[in-house]
Amino acid sequence: MRIAHLLSLLSVAAAFTKCHQRHPNRTEVLSSALPHEYVTDLPTNFDWRDVNGTNFVTVSRNQHIPHYCGSCWAFAATSALSDRIRIARERYNDGKDRVLVTREVNLSPQVLLNCDKEDQGCHGGEGLSAYRYIHENGIPEEGCQRYLATGHDLGNTCTDIDVCRNCVPSKGCFPQKSYDTYHVDEYGTVDGEAKMMAEIYARGPIVCGVAVTDEFLHYAGGVIDDKTGRTDIDHDISIVGWGVDEHGTKFWVGRNSWGTYWGEEGWFRLRRGNNNLGVETDCAFGVPSNNGWPKRKILDTTPVKAPVWSSEIGSLLAPPRQNSTCRHPVHFTQGEKILTPRPHEIIDVATLPKQWDWRNIAGVNYVTWDKNQHIPQYCGSCWAQGTTSALSDRIAILRNATWPEIALSPQVVINCHGGGSCEGGNPGAVYEYAHNHGIPDQTCQAYEAKDGTCSPLRICETCWPTDESFSPGKCEVVSKFKSYYVSEYGHVRGADQMKAELYKRGPIGCGMHVTDKFEQYTGGIYSESIWFPIPNHEISIAGWGYDEETKTEYWIGRNSWGTYWGENGWFRIKMHSDNLGIESDCDWGVPIPDGSQP
Ligand SMILES: *[C@@H]1O[C@H](CO)[C@@H](O)[C@H](O)[C@H]1NC(C)=O
Ligand SMILES: *[C@@H]1O[C@H](CO)[C@@H](O)[C@H](O)[C@H]1NC(C)=O
Ligand SMILES: *[C@@H]1O[C@H](CO)[C@@H](O)[C@H](O)[C@H]1NC(C)=O
Ligand SMILES: *[C@@H]1O[C@H](CO)[C@@H](O)[C@H](O)[C@H]1NC(C)=O
């Protein structure tokens, strides 16, 4: 019944437009030898999700939420390039920047939808022209421009604010003046099994077109081996590796952008070597500039004046909020839930290392993607952000940082009033919510920075176009998806107990008293003395360190104000004193990493 319904929606969609739209300009920019000219020995199995035990791929996405948009091409291009940035940084890591090296970069598909005029926004596009845009203009991270499922085809503009935005309660939204952009040096096309394999092996994932059949649409696992012979490409995905199954069938490993509830955690395998679904005919690649390191883009240095509103997006937005106490004291309605000894009861803090950073433990990064709670408009959801980031990181730790990365959805907690709203909330209730209901990942429910209602649709959804409406289309409930629960949760405070908790189980949430000075932080070990700190903001702490020069111990914190803030979205702050009360009211939860219930 549901499947039949989806099918009828999709045939309507196909009649409207194809998500893969080939642009006539086939110009390539090539300056070095192509991998098939020099790669000779290819392994039988190769998959960037697990190369000698390391996962190089970035988080899964969903192009179909918060409503329908034919943006497959923008997702395939940005995901493949984000993966390549991670690969390039690791490969050319000189050992000095290890911490920065391992942070995941998620490029913004929304910027392509707003600005890349060779492609048709939500009405389709392709990888080659997306990489041409990135070559000429550069592209920022998701934290500059959140996915809205709209594009220039639907009236979006491409002004400064449509490339990188920031919002504050007092000023509204404005163009961010200084942020990082990523470029590609070279881009081009690749086709045929052997050349595709050489390109993927040498430089990373590629974007390819496929024909979407009923089998592909309803795929739930295994190797797709299409017998209909269709090769009329109408969708873009990314190809990330290959293998041979137990029957000797050769397959590609592919990433889709339809949420983790589709296929194999959002991914698929497809017969390799016979141009199944046309996958070996129309692929593109981009080579990250500067080994995956960004350029700083600085628009101008004059201070921000009046709020600037993008006319299209502006109409969707609530007026700016006047106060920003986004964090209330931690409170558990039913008290703490403690089932096992707490780390500080069993660990001698004196034996702990001098530095501990979950972004880099023996060369492995355990932290999940960075977020920006303030776009597309201001929302005081820190209480839902710090907690879900800490829990997502803890899931990664329990999974040994293997694929797939799970990034829990803060919007579900906001919609279901699991602690508060865009006006602020209680982080403790997020753990109680996760214990009682579970939280799905962000591909079930996109962050919208606004309050919602708690219905099945607002927990996990997918959207398709209809006869009446291409955009926003019609959204329907997804009934089969994974939720992540916590088994226990509680308070922690004081440097020693926090260290024990962090070391043994992973990042924690903490309250802090944010001041104007802290908002202006751009790097270094922060300290500020205030008399009676009252935590008004929730962040997460992911480690600590020691500065030899100043003999200062410090905390390593993750904020949710975009990666243009602080040290790529992160900060360091003095331990023990002058730290805005960051040790006074922290919280923790123990997630269940396989999606089972407590
Ligand atoms: C194709 O793109 C290249 C690179 O942007 C540009 O120089 C060239 O003029 C374009 N050709 C056509 C026919 O549009
Ligand atoms: C994986 O390990 C093997 C054996 O140590 C090595 O030859 C190969 O280069 C490694 N692969 C990558 C991509 O690092
Ligand atoms: C936010 O502002 C409103 C109206 O100005 C005020 O009533 C309320 O107490 C404020 N909330 C906080 C948490 O400061
Ligand atoms: C993670 O590593 C530990 C220790 O090697 C192992 O016991 C556990 O099964 C691993 N878990 C996963 C999900 O890989």
Side-chain angles (χ1 to χ4, degrees):
M1 160 88 189
R2 198 180 88 80
I3 285 174
H5 179 49
L6 268 183
L7 264 182
S8 71
L9 290 179
L10 197 87
S11 57
V12 171
F16 266 91
T17 184
K18 292 178 173 186
C19 185
H20 174 92
Q21 295 281 342
R22 195 178 156 102
H23 193 273
N25 191 346
R26 310 311 291 167
T27 309
E28 302 178 309
V29 171
L30 304 174
S31 49
S32 56
L34 290 167
H36 70 266
E37 295 165 9
Y38 58 86
V39 172
T40 48
D41 231 1
L42 288 169
T44 312
N45 298 286
F46 185 78
D47 185 344
W48 282 109
R49 292 176 300 176
D50 179 359
V51 178
N52 293 340
T54 301
N55 170 32
F56 287 91
V57 309
T58 52
V59 75
S60 283
R61 309 291 313 267
N62 188 352
Q63 67 179 89
H64 291 155
I65 55 170
H67 46 79
Y68 180 76
C69 174
S71 52
C72 59
W73 59 278
F75 277 89
T78 51
S79 286
L81 190 56
S82 300
D83 296 349
R84 281 184 170 220
I85 287 171
R86 202 162 169 179
I87 293 163
R89 286 181 173 195
E90 286 281 322
R91 192 167 288 176
Y92 298 100
N93 171 28
D94 59 9
K96 273 185 288 186
D97 276 322
R98 187 71 205 188
V99 164
L100 295 176
V101 165
T102 50
R103 190 182 70 83
E104 172 174 329
V105 169
N106 303 100
L107 302 176
S108 167
Q110 187 60 44
V111 169
L112 293 174
L113 297 173
N114 291 348
C115 295
D116 169 8
K117 302 285 163 57
E118 276 194 3
D119 292 305
Q120 317 304 315
C122 289
H123 284 80
E126 60 151 355
L128 185 67
S129 39
Y131 290 141
R132 180 177 303 121
Y133 175 87
I134 295 169
H135 180 258
E136 281 159 20
N137 303 281
I139 186 171
E141 290 179 65
E142 179 82 5
C144 266
Q145 203 67 218
R146 198 152 243 296
Y147 182 55
L148 295 170
T150 54
H152 66 82
D153 55 319
L154 299 168
N156 285 12
T157 49
C158 176
T159 63
D160 290 342
I161 199 174
D162 307 305
V163 177
C164 193
R165 67 197 283 125
N166 198 349
C167 309
V168 295
S170 54
K171 296 197 203 86
C173 298
F174 50 88
Q176 176 68 19
K177 296 295 180 194
S178 165
Y179 58 92
D180 285 342
T181 58
Y182 295 81
H183 290 250
V184 296
D185 282 337
E186 305 180 54
Y187 61 91
T189 57
V190 57
D191 58 18
E193 182 187 9
K195 288 182 185 173
M196 288 163 65
M197 287 167 72
E199 179 63 43
I200 293 165
Y201 183 73
R203 304 199 280 204
I206 59 178
V207 179
C208 294
V210 288
V212 172
T213 55
D214 293 354
E215 184 188 6
F216 188 88
L217 192 62
H218 303 297
Y219 170 73
V223 175
I224 301 169
D225 184 2
D226 176 62
K227 305 290 188 204
T228 69
R230 278 190 52 198
T231 55
D232 52 323
I233 293 169
D234 52 9
H235 182 51
D236 279 333
I237 47 76
S238 126
I239 298 290
V240 180
W242 63 82
V244 178
D245 77 1
E246 63 277 19
H247 313 295
T249 307
K250 296 193 299 177
F251 60 82
W252 294 111
V253 173
R255 174 210 279 273
N256 201 358
S257 48
W258 291 354
T260 57
Y261 47 72
W262 180 89
E264 298 180 332
E265 307 276 358
W267 289 54
F268 63 96
R269 287 173 293 156
L270 172 64
R271 172 89 184 261
R272 169 168 58 101
N274 68 349
N275 195 30
N276 223 264
L277 301 179
V279 73
E280 286 152 21
T281 49
D282 195 359
C283 303
F285 64 85
V287 181
S289 300
N290 194 22
N291 298 330
W293 295 99
K295 277 189 205 158
R296 196 75 182 172
K297 181 154 183 166
I298 298 171
L299 294 186
D300 67 54
T301 48
T302 52
V304 177
K305 287 154 272 150
V308 184
W309 295 81
S310 161
S311 52
E312 282 69 29
I313 296 167
S315 63
L316 299 171
L317 309 182
R321 291 170 201 282
Q322 291 310 312
N323 56 18
S324 57
T325 301
C326 77
R327 201 251 195 201
H328 310 155
V330 174
H331 170 72
F332 300 106
T333 327
Q334 314 268 309
E336 295 174 280
K337 188 161 203 78
I338 292 167
L339 307 175
T340 55
R342 285 167 296 177
H344 71 264
E345 295 162 344
I346 49 177
I347 286 178
D348 175 4
V349 174
T351 65
L352 292 181
K354 252 185 165 173
Q355 331 222 15
W356 188 260
D357 182 353
W358 282 109
R359 292 174 299 179
N360 176 15
I361 302 293
V364 178
N365 170 38
Y366 293 89
V367 308
T368 51
W369 74 342
D370 287 306
K371 299 182 288 189
N372 187 351
Q373 68 180 86
H374 292 157
I375 59 169
Q377 68 271 345
Y378 183 82
C379 169
S381 61
C382 63
W383 57 275
Q385 306 284 351
T387 46
T388 50
S389 282
L391 285 174
S392 302
D393 296 350
R394 283 180 168 216
I395 292 173
I397 292 165
L398 291 166
R399 296 178 42 82
N400 303 331
T402 56
W403 177 89
E405 171 185 343
I406 310 296
L408 300 183
S409 169
Q411 191 64 47
V412 167
V413 188
I414 298 168
N415 291 348
C416 290
H417 319 296
S421 67
C422 282
E423 311 280 352
N426 158 29
V430 176
Y431 300 103
E432 293 180 309
Y433 182 85
H435 178 268
N436 296 334
H437 306 284
I439 303 174
D441 82 6
Q442 43 79 32
T443 68
C444 266
Q445 198 68 210
Y447 182 59
E448 294 189 81
K450 59 186 186 198
D451 295 334
T453 47
C454 187
S455 64
L457 191 67
R458 294 284 165 244
I459 293 174
C460 196
E461 64 180 339
T462 186
C463 310
W464 296 95
T466 65
D467 276 333
E468 295 76 37
S469 169
F470 173 79
S471 171
K474 184 177 185 306
C475 299
E476 52 180 53
V477 174
V478 169
S479 47
K480 202 161 165 261
F481 61 91
K482 268 192 189 162
S483 280
Y484 296 86
Y485 293 79
V486 301
S487 52
E488 43 182 330
Y489 48 83
H491 272 121
V492 59
R493 57 176 69 89
D496 283 359
Q497 297 198 5
M498 286 162 65
K499 275 186 176 175
E501 180 66 40
L502 266 164
Y503 176 80
K504 182 90 172 121
R505 301 201 281 206
I508 57 178
C510 286
M512 68 188 296
H513 186 138
V514 163
T515 59
D516 289 347
K517 186 180 160 203
F518 183 76
E519 283 178 11
Q520 305 306 318
Y521 168 80
T522 55
I525 300 169
Y526 189 86
S527 70
E528 183 180 356
S529 170
I530 53 173
W531 273 57
F532 294 108
I534 301 168
N536 56 6
H537 182 52
E538 175 89 354
I539 49 80
S540 91
I541 294 186
W544 67 84
Y546 181 75
D547 184 54
E548 297 286 350
E549 220 165 275
T550 57
K551 310 244 177 299
T552 311
E553 271 194 292
Y554 58 85
W555 296 112
I556 296 165
R558 179 215 281 269
N559 206 346
S560 45
W561 292 349
T563 51
Y564 43 64
W565 180 87
E567 299 181 328
N568 294 299
W570 291 62
F571 63 97
R572 289 173 292 159
I573 193 167
K574 211 175 148 198
M575 196 184 287
H576 304 301
S577 63
D578 303 334
N579 56 20
L580 307 178
I582 204 166
E583 293 162 15
S584 64
D585 192 23
C586 301
D587 44 83
W588 56 270
V590 176
I592 303 172
D594 64 3
S596 61
Q597 298 193 19

